[in-house]
Amino acid sequence: MATLVLLTLVGGRVATADTGDQENKVTDPVPLLELRTNGNAGWFWTLSEAEESAAVSQYGMTLEPTKLGYLLRQPFTGSQAIYRLRSNARATYLLTASSAERDSLVASGAFTYEGVIGYAFAQPHSATAELHRMNNGVEWRVVPDADVARFAQNGYTDDGPLGYVYPVYNRVGAIYFGTFDADGNRAFMDNVKSVYGRDNDWWGGVKDFAGYDAPQNAWHWPNTDFSDLKPSIGYYDDEQPATLERQIEQASSAGLRYFTFYWYWNPANGGGEQLIGGLRSFLQAANRADMDFNVMTCIHPWSNGNVSLRLPADQITKAADTIVDTYLGQPNYLRANDGRPIIEVCDDRGIGSGTANAVDTAAVRRFTDALRAEAKVKYGEDVLITLNDQLGVPSADSGFDGTQVQGRYDASRSYQRYVDTERGRIANYPGILIRGATSGFDNRPWDGVGIADPGPNATEQQLEAAFSWYDDHSIARFGTLLANLRSDIQASTRPPATDNLVLIYAWNEWHEGGHIEPNVRDGCAYLNTIRQQLALTGGAGCAIS
C-alpha cells in the first residue's frame, strides 16, 4: 500500500473511547461507521457505537450516513487486521491493512497507532467486495469498491485495498410460535376435541384445512388451496429437541440468523413462565449454536377461565429477573450491533392494571427498569428493549429504546397495498427500529377452534368480518416487500444498533398464515426468497430435512 505524503497542519488531538466487552460479544459483522472530525479537519472510523457516541458528544464529530460495509470485531480464519492511526498534526485519522506501513508511519513521528479497528477478509469471499483507501493529497478516505470510479473522477488516487468486506449484511430472524405441543393452549385443544373429535391435537384446523392428515374440512372455502398448511417435517411436537434441531438446520442453511420466541407469563400461584415448550427445546438442541435467539414478551390483558397472560404489579420484578437470569446469559442470545441483548415486547397492555385500551405506563416503566437493573447486576450489561409497532410509538415515559415491526395485516385485505405502503408507514417510527416483514396472513384455519364460526349460511360480508386474510397474497409480492426493506436499510440514517436487523412474521404461525418454514407445497420458496432479496450469506442454501 502506498503511503500518502503527510501534510504538516496544526490541529487538535482527538482522543478515543474504549470498546467494552459487551460490544465484543457480537460475533456477526457490524457496520463500519464514518465520522467527520470537528471543523471538517479530517475523518474518523470505528466499529464501536460507544466510541462513535463519545466522538460526537465529547469531540464535536459528526456521524456520516455513508455505507462502507461490515467488518468483524474478532479475527477469523482468512482474516486480516485493519489498523487505525491518528495524525499528530491535526484531527484526522488513517486506516491501513499493512503492518509495515503502520510501523513506518509511527516511526516517522507523524502518527500514533491506536490499535486494530476490525477484521476483513484478506482474499475475495462469497458476497464480499473490496474496500479501498484513497487520497487526494489533502485527506484520506475509505471507499467501497462500487465508489472507486466516482472518487477517482474527483481527484482521488487509490492507495490500495484494506481488504474484502460485506457491502450488505442483513441479520434476519423469524418469530417462533412455540406452543405446538401438549402443554400448549389447552382451551384451543378442547375446542379441537369438540369440533373435530380428536384428543390432545394442537394441529387442529391446520391439518383439517390442508386435508393431509385429516379429512378435508375447509368450512366455507372448499375450493381454496390450503395445501401449503403442512410443514415439510410433518405435524410436529415442538417439545422434542429433535424438532428444533431440524428447524435450526432449515433456517440456518438459508442464512437466517435468529429465532424470536414468544414469551408468556402465568400469574397463578405466585407467577411463572408458560407456553415455552419450543423455547426450551431450542435451548436443548444439539445444533443450537448455529442460531441466535431472543425473547419477545407477550403480556396480554386477556384472561380466559383459568388461563391468564397478565403480569400483576407485584410480580414485575420476578418476571424481569426470570427473563434476564434464564436467557440473557446464554452465549447465543441475540445482541444489537452495539452489543446490547435485545428484549422485544409484543404487548405491554397486560402489565399492572393495564387494559386493552389503556396502558399502565408506570407499571410498564417498572418492568423495563427491572429488566435493566437485573441485567446490570447479573452481567454488568445494558439491554435494548423495543415495543411492537402496532401499539404505536413508545411513550417516552415507558422506558423503551425503540420499535420492532411484526405481524401486519392491512384492513384493505390487499397484500399489494401492504407492500406498497409499508416503507412509508415505518418512516413514522423515529430512532431505533427493527424492521419487519409479514410473509402472509390468513386466520381462517382458526374457524371453529379459535374463532367462532358465523354459521353455515354466513354471507361473504359476515365471513370477512369474522376472519382476516389477504385475497392477493403471493410469494412474489413477499419478495417485493423484502426488496423494499433492503432499499430502506441502504438509504437509512437511523441509529446503527439494529439498522440491519429484519424480523419475519413468522416461522410457524400456521393458524394465521404467517409461515416461512418449508412446507410440502412450496418447499423452500419463502426461505429462498428471503435469502435472495435480503442478500443473506450464511449457510449453503435452504435444506429440507
Side-chain angles (χ1 to χ4, degrees), residues 249-309:
E249 180 185 1
Q250 291 174 328
S252 62
S253 69
L256 265 65
R257 297 296 301 127
Y258 63 94
F259 282 143
T260 293
F261 288 88
Y262 286 135
W263 183 92
Y264 304 93
W265 186 255
N266 181 357
N269 302 315
E273 297 174 287
Q274 65 174 330
L275 307 176
I276 57 168
L279 175 53
R280 286 175 175 164
S281 293
F282 176 87
L283 295 177
Q284 297 169 24
N287 59 345
R288 58 165 284 188
D290 293 341
M291 292 277 288
D292 290 341
F293 81 101
N294 72 317
V295 295
M296 177 186 285
T297 65
C298 297
I299 307 173
H300 300 303
W302 309 330
S303 296
N304 182 7
N306 294 325
V307 177
S308 175
L309 303 177

Short mmCIF file of all heavy atoms in Angstrom, two decimals, residues 249-309:
data_model
loop_
_atom_site.label_atom_id
_atom_site.label_comp_id
_atom_site.label_asym_id
_atom_site.label_seq_id
_atom_site.Cartn_x
_atom_site.Cartn_y
_atom_site.Cartn_z
N GLU A 249 -31.61 -26.34 11.41
CA GLU A 249 -30.89 -26.68 10.18
C GLU A 249 -31.52 -26.00 8.97
O GLU A 249 -30.82 -25.45 8.12
CB GLU A 249 -30.87 -28.19 9.98
CG GLU A 249 -30.15 -28.63 8.72
CD GLU A 249 -30.23 -30.13 8.47
OE1 GLU A 249 -30.89 -30.83 9.27
OE2 GLU A 249 -29.67 -30.59 7.46
N GLN A 250 -32.86 -26.05 8.89
CA GLN A 250 -33.54 -25.41 7.76
C GLN A 250 -33.28 -23.91 7.74
O GLN A 250 -32.95 -23.34 6.69
CB GLN A 250 -35.04 -25.67 7.86
CG GLN A 250 -35.46 -27.11 7.62
CD GLN A 250 -36.94 -27.32 7.88
OE1 GLN A 250 -37.54 -26.65 8.73
NE2 GLN A 250 -37.54 -28.25 7.16
N ALA A 251 -33.45 -23.26 8.87
CA ALA A 251 -33.33 -21.80 8.92
C ALA A 251 -31.89 -21.34 8.69
O ALA A 251 -31.63 -20.43 7.89
CB ALA A 251 -33.84 -21.29 10.27
N SER A 252 -30.94 -21.95 9.39
CA SER A 252 -29.55 -21.51 9.28
C SER A 252 -28.98 -21.81 7.91
O SER A 252 -28.15 -21.04 7.40
CB SER A 252 -28.70 -22.15 10.37
OG SER A 252 -28.67 -23.56 10.25
N SER A 253 -29.39 -22.89 7.27
CA SER A 253 -28.89 -23.21 5.93
C SER A 253 -29.31 -22.15 4.92
O SER A 253 -28.63 -21.94 3.92
CB SER A 253 -29.38 -24.59 5.49
OG SER A 253 -30.78 -24.60 5.27
N ALA A 254 -30.44 -21.49 5.19
CA ALA A 254 -30.91 -20.43 4.30
C ALA A 254 -30.34 -19.07 4.64
O ALA A 254 -30.59 -18.10 3.93
CB ALA A 254 -32.44 -20.38 4.35
N GLY A 255 -29.59 -18.97 5.74
CA GLY A 255 -28.97 -17.71 6.11
C GLY A 255 -29.66 -16.96 7.22
O GLY A 255 -29.22 -15.86 7.60
N LEU A 256 -30.77 -17.48 7.77
CA LEU A 256 -31.40 -16.82 8.90
C LEU A 256 -30.46 -16.88 10.10
O LEU A 256 -29.76 -17.88 10.31
CB LEU A 256 -32.73 -17.49 9.25
CG LEU A 256 -33.98 -16.84 8.63
CD1 LEU A 256 -33.96 -16.96 7.11
CD2 LEU A 256 -35.26 -17.45 9.19
N ARG A 257 -30.49 -15.82 10.91
CA ARG A 257 -29.53 -15.70 12.00
C ARG A 257 -30.15 -15.94 13.37
O ARG A 257 -29.44 -16.21 14.32
CB ARG A 257 -28.89 -14.31 11.98
CG ARG A 257 -28.08 -14.00 10.73
CD ARG A 257 -26.87 -14.91 10.60
NE ARG A 257 -25.97 -14.80 11.72
CZ ARG A 257 -25.53 -15.82 12.45
NH1 ARG A 257 -25.93 -17.05 12.18
NH2 ARG A 257 -24.70 -15.62 13.46
N TYR A 258 -31.48 -15.82 13.50
CA TYR A 258 -32.05 -15.95 14.83
C TYR A 258 -33.54 -16.31 14.79
O TYR A 258 -34.22 -16.07 13.79
CB TYR A 258 -31.85 -14.68 15.66
CG TYR A 258 -32.55 -13.44 15.12
CD1 TYR A 258 -33.81 -13.06 15.57
CD2 TYR A 258 -31.93 -12.62 14.17
CE1 TYR A 258 -34.44 -11.92 15.08
CE2 TYR A 258 -32.54 -11.48 13.69
CZ TYR A 258 -33.80 -11.13 14.15
OH TYR A 258 -34.41 -10.00 13.67
N PHE A 259 -34.01 -16.90 15.89
CA PHE A 259 -35.43 -17.09 16.18
C PHE A 259 -35.80 -16.15 17.32
O PHE A 259 -35.05 -16.02 18.30
CB PHE A 259 -35.74 -18.52 16.61
CG PHE A 259 -35.81 -19.53 15.50
CD1 PHE A 259 -35.34 -20.82 15.69
CD2 PHE A 259 -36.35 -19.21 14.26
CE1 PHE A 259 -35.42 -21.77 14.68
CE2 PHE A 259 -36.43 -20.15 13.24
CZ PHE A 259 -35.95 -21.43 13.45
N THR A 260 -36.95 -15.52 17.21
CA THR A 260 -37.52 -14.72 18.29
C THR A 260 -38.70 -15.49 18.86
O THR A 260 -39.69 -15.72 18.16
CB THR A 260 -37.96 -13.34 17.78
OG1 THR A 260 -36.81 -12.58 17.39
CG2 THR A 260 -38.72 -12.58 18.85
N PHE A 261 -38.60 -15.89 20.12
CA PHE A 261 -39.62 -16.73 20.74
C PHE A 261 -40.62 -15.87 21.52
O PHE A 261 -40.23 -15.05 22.36
CB PHE A 261 -38.97 -17.73 21.70
CG PHE A 261 -38.23 -18.84 21.01
CD1 PHE A 261 -36.89 -18.68 20.68
CD2 PHE A 261 -38.85 -20.03 20.68
CE1 PHE A 261 -36.19 -19.69 20.04
CE2 PHE A 261 -38.17 -21.04 20.04
CZ PHE A 261 -36.83 -20.89 19.71
N TYR A 262 -41.90 -16.10 21.21
CA TYR A 262 -42.93 -15.51 22.07
C TYR A 262 -42.73 -16.03 23.49
O TYR A 262 -42.45 -17.21 23.71
CB TYR A 262 -44.32 -15.93 21.60
CG TYR A 262 -44.81 -15.27 20.34
CD1 TYR A 262 -45.43 -16.03 19.34
CD2 TYR A 262 -44.72 -13.90 20.14
CE1 TYR A 262 -45.92 -15.44 18.19
CE2 TYR A 262 -45.20 -13.30 18.98
CZ TYR A 262 -45.80 -14.08 18.01
OH TYR A 262 -46.28 -13.49 16.87
N TRP A 263 -42.90 -15.14 24.47
CA TRP A 263 -42.70 -15.49 25.87
C TRP A 263 -43.90 -15.01 26.68
O TRP A 263 -44.31 -13.86 26.56
CB TRP A 263 -41.41 -14.84 26.39
CG TRP A 263 -41.05 -15.18 27.80
CD1 TRP A 263 -40.24 -16.19 28.23
CD2 TRP A 263 -41.45 -14.47 28.98
NE1 TRP A 263 -40.12 -16.17 29.60
CE2 TRP A 263 -40.85 -15.12 30.08
CE3 TRP A 263 -42.25 -13.35 29.22
CZ2 TRP A 263 -41.03 -14.69 31.40
CZ3 TRP A 263 -42.44 -12.92 30.52
CH2 TRP A 263 -41.83 -13.59 31.59
N TYR A 264 -44.46 -15.92 27.49
CA TYR A 264 -45.68 -15.62 28.22
C TYR A 264 -45.49 -15.84 29.72
O TYR A 264 -44.71 -16.70 30.14
CB TYR A 264 -46.82 -16.53 27.74
CG TYR A 264 -47.10 -16.46 26.25
CD1 TYR A 264 -46.49 -17.34 25.37
CD2 TYR A 264 -47.98 -15.50 25.74
CE1 TYR A 264 -46.75 -17.28 24.01
CE2 TYR A 264 -48.24 -15.44 24.38
CZ TYR A 264 -47.62 -16.33 23.52
OH TYR A 264 -47.88 -16.27 22.17
N TRP A 265 -46.26 -15.09 30.48
CA TRP A 265 -46.22 -15.19 31.94
C TRP A 265 -47.57 -15.69 32.45
O TRP A 265 -48.62 -15.29 31.94
CB TRP A 265 -45.93 -13.82 32.54
CG TRP A 265 -45.72 -13.82 34.04
CD1 TRP A 265 -46.61 -13.38 34.99
CD2 TRP A 265 -44.56 -14.27 34.73
NE1 TRP A 265 -46.06 -13.53 36.24
CE2 TRP A 265 -44.80 -14.07 36.12
CE3 TRP A 265 -43.34 -14.81 34.34
CZ2 TRP A 265 -43.87 -14.40 37.10
CZ3 TRP A 265 -42.41 -15.14 35.31
CH2 TRP A 265 -42.67 -14.94 36.67
N ASN A 266 -47.52 -16.56 33.45
CA ASN A 266 -48.73 -17.07 34.10
C ASN A 266 -48.76 -16.53 35.53
O ASN A 266 -47.89 -16.87 36.33
CB ASN A 266 -48.72 -18.60 34.10
CG ASN A 266 -49.96 -19.19 34.73
OD1 ASN A 266 -50.82 -18.47 35.23
ND2 ASN A 266 -50.08 -20.51 34.70
N PRO A 267 -49.73 -15.69 35.87
CA PRO A 267 -49.73 -15.08 37.21
C PRO A 267 -50.19 -16.01 38.33
O PRO A 267 -50.10 -15.65 39.51
CB PRO A 267 -50.70 -13.90 37.05
CG PRO A 267 -51.64 -14.34 35.97
CD PRO A 267 -50.81 -15.16 35.03
N ALA A 268 -50.67 -17.21 37.99
CA ALA A 268 -51.20 -18.11 39.02
C ALA A 268 -50.07 -18.62 39.93
O ALA A 268 -48.92 -18.76 39.51
CB ALA A 268 -51.90 -19.29 38.36
N ASN A 269 -50.42 -18.86 41.17
CA ASN A 269 -49.50 -19.48 42.15
C ASN A 269 -48.19 -18.71 42.30
O ASN A 269 -47.12 -19.30 42.37
CB ASN A 269 -49.21 -20.93 41.75
CG ASN A 269 -50.47 -21.77 41.65
OD1 ASN A 269 -51.34 -21.70 42.52
ND2 ASN A 269 -50.59 -22.54 40.57
N GLY A 270 -48.29 -17.43 42.31
CA GLY A 270 -47.11 -16.60 42.50
C GLY A 270 -46.38 -16.22 41.24
O GLY A 270 -45.44 -15.42 41.26
N GLY A 271 -46.82 -16.77 40.10
CA GLY A 271 -46.27 -16.37 38.81
C GLY A 271 -45.15 -17.24 38.30
O GLY A 271 -44.33 -17.76 39.07
N GLY A 272 -45.13 -17.46 36.99
CA GLY A 272 -44.07 -18.23 36.34
C GLY A 272 -44.28 -18.27 34.84
O GLY A 272 -45.33 -17.86 34.33
N GLU A 273 -43.28 -18.73 34.11
CA GLU A 273 -43.38 -18.83 32.65
C GLU A 273 -44.44 -19.85 32.25
O GLU A 273 -44.72 -20.80 32.97
CB GLU A 273 -42.04 -19.26 32.07
CG GLU A 273 -40.90 -18.29 32.30
CD GLU A 273 -39.58 -18.87 31.81
OE1 GLU A 273 -39.05 -19.77 32.48
OE2 GLU A 273 -39.10 -18.42 30.77
N GLN A 274 -44.99 -19.67 31.05
CA GLN A 274 -45.88 -20.67 30.48
C GLN A 274 -45.76 -20.64 28.95
O GLN A 274 -45.28 -19.67 28.37
CB GLN A 274 -47.33 -20.42 30.89
CG GLN A 274 -47.93 -19.11 30.37
CD GLN A 274 -49.41 -18.99 30.70
OE1 GLN A 274 -50.12 -19.98 30.79
NE2 GLN A 274 -49.89 -17.76 30.89
N LEU A 275 -46.17 -21.74 28.33
CA LEU A 275 -46.23 -21.85 26.86
C LEU A 275 -44.85 -21.62 26.23
O LEU A 275 -44.71 -20.92 25.23
CB LEU A 275 -47.24 -20.85 26.28
CG LEU A 275 -48.66 -20.90 26.87
CD1 LEU A 275 -49.52 -19.80 26.26
CD2 LEU A 275 -49.30 -22.25 26.66
N ILE A 276 -43.83 -22.25 26.80
CA ILE A 276 -42.46 -22.04 26.29
C ILE A 276 -41.82 -23.37 25.88
O ILE A 276 -40.60 -23.51 25.94
CB ILE A 276 -41.59 -21.31 27.32
CG1 ILE A 276 -41.55 -22.07 28.65
CG2 ILE A 276 -42.04 -19.88 27.51
CD1 ILE A 276 -40.48 -21.56 29.59
N GLY A 277 -42.64 -24.34 25.45
CA GLY A 277 -42.09 -25.63 25.06
C GLY A 277 -41.07 -25.52 23.95
O GLY A 277 -40.00 -26.15 24.01
N GLY A 278 -41.37 -24.75 22.92
CA GLY A 278 -40.43 -24.60 21.80
C GLY A 278 -39.13 -23.94 22.22
O GLY A 278 -38.05 -24.33 21.77
N LEU A 279 -39.21 -22.94 23.08
CA LEU A 279 -38.01 -22.25 23.56
C LEU A 279 -37.12 -23.20 24.36
O LEU A 279 -35.90 -23.22 24.18
CB LEU A 279 -38.42 -21.04 24.40
CG LEU A 279 -37.31 -20.25 25.09
CD1 LEU A 279 -36.23 -19.83 24.13
CD2 LEU A 279 -37.90 -19.04 25.81
N ARG A 280 -37.73 -23.99 25.22
CA ARG A 280 -36.94 -24.95 25.99
C ARG A 280 -36.27 -25.97 25.08
O ARG A 280 -35.11 -26.35 25.29
CB ARG A 280 -37.84 -25.66 27.00
CG ARG A 280 -38.24 -24.78 28.19
CD ARG A 280 -39.23 -25.48 29.08
NE ARG A 280 -39.53 -24.70 30.28
CZ ARG A 280 -40.57 -24.92 31.07
NH1 ARG A 280 -41.42 -25.89 30.79
NH2 ARG A 280 -40.77 -24.17 32.15
N SER A 281 -36.97 -26.41 24.06
CA SER A 281 -36.38 -27.37 23.13
C SER A 281 -35.23 -26.76 22.35
O SER A 281 -34.23 -27.42 22.08
CB SER A 281 -37.45 -27.90 22.17
OG SER A 281 -38.40 -28.69 22.85
N PHE A 282 -35.38 -25.49 21.98
CA PHE A 282 -34.29 -24.80 21.29
C PHE A 282 -33.03 -24.83 22.14
O PHE A 282 -31.92 -25.09 21.64
CB PHE A 282 -34.69 -23.37 20.97
CG PHE A 282 -33.59 -22.55 20.34
CD1 PHE A 282 -33.41 -22.56 18.97
CD2 PHE A 282 -32.73 -21.79 21.12
CE1 PHE A 282 -32.38 -21.82 18.38
CE2 PHE A 282 -31.71 -21.05 20.55
CZ PHE A 282 -31.54 -21.06 19.17
N LEU A 283 -33.18 -24.55 23.42
CA LEU A 283 -32.02 -24.49 24.30
C LEU A 283 -31.40 -25.87 24.54
O LEU A 283 -30.25 -25.97 24.99
CB LEU A 283 -32.41 -23.87 25.64
CG LEU A 283 -32.83 -22.39 25.57
CD1 LEU A 283 -33.27 -21.90 26.93
CD2 LEU A 283 -31.71 -21.52 25.02
N GLN A 284 -32.14 -26.94 24.23
CA GLN A 284 -31.61 -28.29 24.37
C GLN A 284 -31.12 -28.87 23.04
O GLN A 284 -30.56 -29.97 23.01
CB GLN A 284 -32.71 -29.21 24.94
CG GLN A 284 -33.16 -28.84 26.34
CD GLN A 284 -34.41 -29.60 26.76
OE1 GLN A 284 -34.71 -30.68 26.26
NE2 GLN A 284 -35.16 -29.02 27.68
N ALA A 285 -31.34 -28.15 21.94
CA ALA A 285 -30.98 -28.66 20.62
C ALA A 285 -29.46 -28.79 20.49
O ALA A 285 -28.71 -27.90 20.90
CB ALA A 285 -31.52 -27.75 19.53
N ALA A 286 -29.02 -29.88 19.89
CA ALA A 286 -27.57 -30.13 19.75
C ALA A 286 -26.90 -29.08 18.87
O ALA A 286 -25.72 -28.80 19.04
CB ALA A 286 -27.35 -31.53 19.19
N ASN A 287 -27.64 -28.51 17.92
CA ASN A 287 -27.07 -27.54 16.99
C ASN A 287 -27.51 -26.11 17.30
O ASN A 287 -27.50 -25.25 16.42
CB ASN A 287 -27.44 -27.90 15.55
CG ASN A 287 -28.95 -27.96 15.32
OD1 ASN A 287 -29.73 -28.00 16.28
ND2 ASN A 287 -29.36 -28.01 14.07
N ARG A 288 -27.91 -25.84 18.51
CA ARG A 288 -28.43 -24.52 18.88
C ARG A 288 -27.43 -23.40 18.61
O ARG A 288 -27.82 -22.25 18.38
CB ARG A 288 -28.85 -24.48 20.34
CG ARG A 288 -27.73 -24.82 21.32
CD ARG A 288 -28.06 -24.43 22.74
NE ARG A 288 -27.94 -23.01 22.93
CZ ARG A 288 -28.01 -22.41 24.12
NH1 ARG A 288 -28.24 -23.13 25.20
NH2 ARG A 288 -27.87 -21.11 24.24
N ALA A 289 -26.14 -23.72 18.62
CA ALA A 289 -25.13 -22.68 18.38
C ALA A 289 -25.18 -22.13 16.96
O ALA A 289 -24.60 -21.09 16.67
CB ALA A 289 -23.73 -23.23 18.67
N ASP A 290 -25.90 -22.81 16.06
CA ASP A 290 -26.00 -22.35 14.67
C ASP A 290 -26.97 -21.18 14.52
O ASP A 290 -27.04 -20.59 13.44
CB ASP A 290 -26.45 -23.50 13.76
CG ASP A 290 -25.40 -24.59 13.65
OD1 ASP A 290 -24.23 -24.33 13.96
OD2 ASP A 290 -25.76 -25.71 13.24
N MET A 291 -27.75 -20.89 15.56
CA MET A 291 -28.73 -19.80 15.50
C MET A 291 -28.67 -19.01 16.80
O MET A 291 -28.49 -19.57 17.88
CB MET A 291 -30.16 -20.35 15.35
CG MET A 291 -30.46 -21.02 14.04
SD MET A 291 -30.89 -19.84 12.74
CE MET A 291 -32.53 -19.34 13.27
N ASP A 292 -28.84 -17.70 16.70
CA ASP A 292 -29.08 -16.89 17.88
C ASP A 292 -30.56 -16.95 18.21
O ASP A 292 -31.38 -17.45 17.43
CB ASP A 292 -28.66 -15.45 17.64
CG ASP A 292 -27.16 -15.28 17.54
OD1 ASP A 292 -26.42 -16.17 18.00
OD2 ASP A 292 -26.71 -14.25 16.98
N PHE A 293 -30.92 -16.42 19.37
CA PHE A 293 -32.33 -16.36 19.76
C PHE A 293 -32.54 -15.19 20.70
O PHE A 293 -31.60 -14.68 21.31
CB PHE A 293 -32.77 -17.66 20.45
CG PHE A 293 -32.40 -17.73 21.91
CD1 PHE A 293 -33.34 -17.46 22.90
CD2 PHE A 293 -31.09 -18.01 22.31
CE1 PHE A 293 -32.99 -17.49 24.24
CE2 PHE A 293 -30.74 -18.04 23.66
CZ PHE A 293 -31.69 -17.78 24.63
N ASN A 294 -33.78 -14.76 20.82
CA ASN A 294 -34.15 -13.82 21.86
C ASN A 294 -35.61 -14.03 22.23
O ASN A 294 -36.29 -14.86 21.62
CB ASN A 294 -33.88 -12.36 21.45
CG ASN A 294 -34.85 -11.84 20.41
OD1 ASN A 294 -35.18 -12.53 19.45
ND2 ASN A 294 -35.32 -10.62 20.58
N VAL A 295 -36.07 -13.33 23.25
CA VAL A 295 -37.45 -13.49 23.69
C VAL A 295 -38.23 -12.22 23.40
O VAL A 295 -37.70 -11.10 23.43
CB VAL A 295 -37.55 -13.84 25.19
CG1 VAL A 295 -36.93 -15.20 25.46
CG2 VAL A 295 -36.91 -12.77 26.06
N MET A 296 -39.52 -12.43 23.10
CA MET A 296 -40.47 -11.35 22.87
C MET A 296 -41.62 -11.55 23.86
O MET A 296 -42.38 -12.50 23.75
CB MET A 296 -40.99 -11.37 21.43
CG MET A 296 -42.05 -10.32 21.14
SD MET A 296 -42.75 -10.51 19.48
CE MET A 296 -41.41 -9.86 18.48
N THR A 297 -41.71 -10.67 24.84
CA THR A 297 -42.69 -10.85 25.89
C THR A 297 -44.07 -10.42 25.41
O THR A 297 -44.26 -9.30 24.96
CB THR A 297 -42.31 -10.03 27.13
OG1 THR A 297 -42.35 -8.64 26.84
CG2 THR A 297 -40.91 -10.40 27.61
N CYS A 298 -45.03 -11.34 25.54
CA CYS A 298 -46.41 -11.08 25.15
C CYS A 298 -47.25 -11.04 26.42
O CYS A 298 -47.75 -12.08 26.88
CB CYS A 298 -46.92 -12.16 24.20
SG CYS A 298 -46.02 -12.23 22.64
N ILE A 299 -47.38 -9.87 26.99
CA ILE A 299 -48.10 -9.72 28.25
C ILE A 299 -49.45 -9.10 27.92
O ILE A 299 -49.65 -7.88 27.97
CB ILE A 299 -47.28 -8.87 29.24
CG1 ILE A 299 -45.87 -9.44 29.38
CG2 ILE A 299 -47.97 -8.83 30.60
CD1 ILE A 299 -44.92 -8.60 30.20
N HIS A 300 -50.35 -9.98 27.52
CA HIS A 300 -51.66 -9.56 27.02
C HIS A 300 -52.62 -9.28 28.18
O HIS A 300 -52.54 -9.93 29.22
CB HIS A 300 -52.25 -10.63 26.12
CG HIS A 300 -51.43 -10.96 24.92
ND1 HIS A 300 -51.07 -10.01 23.99
CD2 HIS A 300 -50.89 -12.13 24.49
CE1 HIS A 300 -50.35 -10.58 23.03
NE2 HIS A 300 -50.23 -11.87 23.32
N PRO A 301 -53.56 -8.38 27.97
CA PRO A 301 -54.56 -8.09 29.01
C PRO A 301 -55.74 -9.05 28.95
O PRO A 301 -56.89 -8.66 29.17
CB PRO A 301 -54.99 -6.65 28.67
CG PRO A 301 -54.89 -6.60 27.18
CD PRO A 301 -53.70 -7.47 26.82
N TRP A 302 -55.48 -10.31 28.62
CA TRP A 302 -56.55 -11.27 28.40
C TRP A 302 -56.55 -12.33 29.49
O TRP A 302 -55.51 -12.78 29.95
CB TRP A 302 -56.39 -11.97 27.05
CG TRP A 302 -56.21 -11.05 25.90
CD1 TRP A 302 -56.70 -9.77 25.77
CD2 TRP A 302 -55.46 -11.29 24.71
NE1 TRP A 302 -56.31 -9.22 24.58
CE2 TRP A 302 -55.54 -10.13 23.90
CE3 TRP A 302 -54.73 -12.38 24.24
CZ2 TRP A 302 -54.93 -10.04 22.67
CZ3 TRP A 302 -54.13 -12.28 23.01
CH2 TRP A 302 -54.22 -11.13 22.22
N SER A 303 -57.74 -12.75 29.85
CA SER A 303 -57.92 -13.88 30.75
C SER A 303 -59.07 -14.72 30.22
O SER A 303 -60.08 -14.18 29.73
CB SER A 303 -58.25 -13.41 32.18
OG SER A 303 -57.16 -12.69 32.72
N ASN A 304 -58.92 -16.02 30.27
CA ASN A 304 -59.95 -16.93 29.77
C ASN A 304 -60.06 -18.09 30.74
O ASN A 304 -59.27 -19.04 30.68
CB ASN A 304 -59.59 -17.43 28.37
CG ASN A 304 -60.67 -18.35 27.79
OD1 ASN A 304 -61.73 -18.51 28.38
ND2 ASN A 304 -60.37 -18.95 26.64
N GLY A 305 -61.02 -18.00 31.67
CA GLY A 305 -61.15 -19.05 32.66
C GLY A 305 -59.93 -19.09 33.56
O GLY A 305 -59.58 -18.11 34.22
N ASN A 306 -59.26 -20.23 33.55
CA ASN A 306 -58.07 -20.40 34.39
C ASN A 306 -56.80 -19.93 33.71
O ASN A 306 -55.72 -20.03 34.28
CB ASN A 306 -57.92 -21.88 34.78
CG ASN A 306 -59.05 -22.36 35.67
OD1 ASN A 306 -59.55 -21.60 36.50
ND2 ASN A 306 -59.47 -23.60 35.48
N VAL A 307 -56.91 -19.44 32.47
CA VAL A 307 -55.74 -19.02 31.72
C VAL A 307 -55.65 -17.50 31.71
O VAL A 307 -56.61 -16.81 31.37
CB VAL A 307 -55.79 -19.55 30.27
CG1 VAL A 307 -54.60 -19.04 29.48
CG2 VAL A 307 -55.85 -21.06 30.26
N SER A 308 -54.50 -16.98 32.10
CA SER A 308 -54.26 -15.54 32.06
C SER A 308 -52.86 -15.30 31.55
O SER A 308 -51.94 -16.07 31.85
CB SER A 308 -54.43 -14.92 33.45
OG SER A 308 -54.08 -13.54 33.42
N LEU A 309 -52.71 -14.24 30.78
CA LEU A 309 -51.40 -13.87 30.26
C LEU A 309 -50.94 -12.53 30.84
O LEU A 309 -50.02 -11.90 30.32
CB LEU A 309 -51.45 -13.78 28.73
CG LEU A 309 -51.90 -15.05 28.01
CD1 LEU A 309 -51.98 -14.80 26.50
CD2 LEU A 309 -50.97 -16.20 28.29
#
